[in-house]
Amino acid sequence: TPPAGGGSVTSNPRSRPFQVPGLSDVIAIAAGLLSSAAVKSDGTVWAWGMATGTSVLSLSPTQVAGLSNIARVSLGTYYLLALDRSGKVWSVGAGGLGQLGTGSSVSAAPMQVPALTGIVDIAAGAASSYALGADGTAYAWGDNSHGQIGDGTYASQRTPVLVVNPTFNGPLDLRPEVPNQIPASLIPSLLLSTNRSSDLINLSLSADIRGL
């Protein structure tokens, strides 16, 4: 609601909670660095700030066109991930490091992230994205400069790849009691783990390459 005494919605900081105008029947929310979003019970997504990666600042919730039957959302920097009720993942916004997962750097309209089905949860980082399958397998894509994708390399990925387990012998399976059907083509044939240690005088680099 507008501030006490009148006025309109603005970009001014607030020192106490206030109701976001124009939203009702909300079942899920997400907050990002530069944006916020909400999912209504009818499956529509509403966002404000710079949630869709455009240069236009929205001061009040605006429906994200092209998204329906959505269960939850997650926000990165300038991009939005959405999980629909059928287990498919969608992305929209700007993702120069591959965090959209579609192979595109910018998407003005939501696009489905390929090869992901049966997904039960999603998470968007600053420039990396993650999805959890109902069978317990984890997927990641986007920036990997610090190994945050977990595929055993430092290479960024523009489409989803499997997160591998710490022993480098296969995919990460968070629910081993549930069988999974991972296509052989999705499992990397080689994994590279690099390590660096140093002090003021010495620098040591090592690499561990393993085949699955």
Side-chain angles (χ1 to χ4, degrees):
T1 57
S8 60
V9 177
T10 72
S11 60
N12 297 329
R14 294 184 182 273
S15 59
R16 59 183 181 181
F18 74 103
Q19 184 178 353
V20 178
L23 286 179
S24 59
D25 299 320
V26 172
I27 60 171
I29 57 174
L33 177 63
L34 301 170
S35 52
S36 303
V39 181
K40 289 188 176 184
S41 59
D42 62 2
T44 58
V45 176
W46 299 73
W48 56 105
M50 292 186 174
T52 58
T54 69
S55 58
V56 178
L57 176 65
S58 176
L59 296 180
S60 58
T62 302
Q63 184 175 354
V64 180
L67 288 177
S68 60
N69 200 33
I70 301 300
R72 65 186 64 186
V73 292
S74 185
L75 291 166
T77 304
Y78 294 113
Y79 77 105
L80 179 149
L81 289 182
L83 174 64
D84 70 23
R85 293 167 184 170
S86 69
K88 298 175 183 178
V89 179
W90 303 77
S91 66
V92 60
L97 294 172
Q99 55 267 50
L100 296 182
T102 59
S104 301
S105 296
V106 178
S107 176
M111 298 177 63
Q112 184 180 346
V113 179
L116 290 181
T117 58
I119 301 301
V120 296
D121 204 0
I122 54 173
S128 306
S129 303
Y130 308 86
L132 175 64
D135 60 3
T137 52
Y139 299 84
W141 59 96
D143 181 30
N144 197 25
S145 57
H146 293 83
Q148 58 265 52
I149 285 180
D151 66 343
T153 76
Y154 287 120
S156 296
Q157 301 288 346
R158 302 187 69 81
T159 54
V161 296
L162 281 168
V163 177
V164 297
N165 64 36
T167 58
F168 292 90
N169 62 9
L172 178 64
D173 189 353
L174 298 177
R175 298 183 63 190
E177 71 278 7
V178 179
N180 58 59
Q181 303 294 327
I182 300 173
S185 60
L186 290 181
I187 301 177
S189 57
L190 292 173
L191 291 173
L192 169 65
S193 174
T194 60
N195 300 282
R196 179 181 66 181
S197 60
S198 63
D199 53 33
L200 293 177
I201 300 176
N202 301 304
L203 174 64
S204 175
L205 301 174
S206 63
D208 181 7
I209 301 177
R210 303 190 190 188
L212 298 182

